[in-house]
Amino acid sequence: MKRIAILVTFLGLSSLAACKKDVTADLEKLADRACACKDAPCATKVLEDLATLAKNNKEAGGNEERAMKAATKMMECAMKAGVDPTKLGETLKDL
């Protein structure tokens, strides 16, 4: 669980570094997609989409509290779907 908190904190801070395009709703949609996944490949695809969103929106902003909740939900659902925490960290390390 501590690993999730670290990843979520990193994700939240890096995703909301500036105040331009609001990506909060996009993060919430990705969290919902992750929670709909029944297997690891599905959840891994959502995480890849998260990495793409982050790379394409480096100057993005948004509601930090909602983004943190969405990120936490996404990570929990990804692991529940079978994504290994190590793989989760590898996928998110470049964010």
Side-chain angles (χ1 to χ4, degrees):
M1 193 57 121
K2 186 175 182 180
R3 179 177 269 172
I4 292 174
I6 292 168
L7 290 171
V8 168
T9 299
F10 175 74
L11 174 64
L13 296 176
S14 65
S15 295
L16 300 174
C19 294
K20 293 194 178 183
K21 179 182 177 191
D22 187 339
V23 296
T24 306
D26 296 327
L27 289 172
E28 291 170 336
K29 288 176 186 174
L30 287 171
D32 290 341
R33 281 183 47 210
C35 291
C37 289
K38 304 294 184 210
D39 58 25
C42 174
T44 299
K45 172 64 175 132
V46 174
L47 295 174
E48 290 168 356
D49 291 346
L50 170 64
T52 300
L53 176 70
K55 287 177 185 175
N56 292 338
N57 294 284
K58 290 184 186 262
E59 300 293 319
N63 182 306
E64 189 171 344
E65 184 178 332
R66 283 178 44 207
M68 293 294 279
K69 286 180 184 178
T72 301
K73 177 181 173 181
M74 188 184 324
M75 300 313 141
E76 289 174 352
C77 289
M79 287 194 304
K80 185 176 180 181
V83 175
D84 182 284
T86 304
K87 173 71 173 166
L88 186 64
E90 290 171 6
T91 302
L92 301 177
K93 72 179 177 184
D94 294 329
L95 298 181

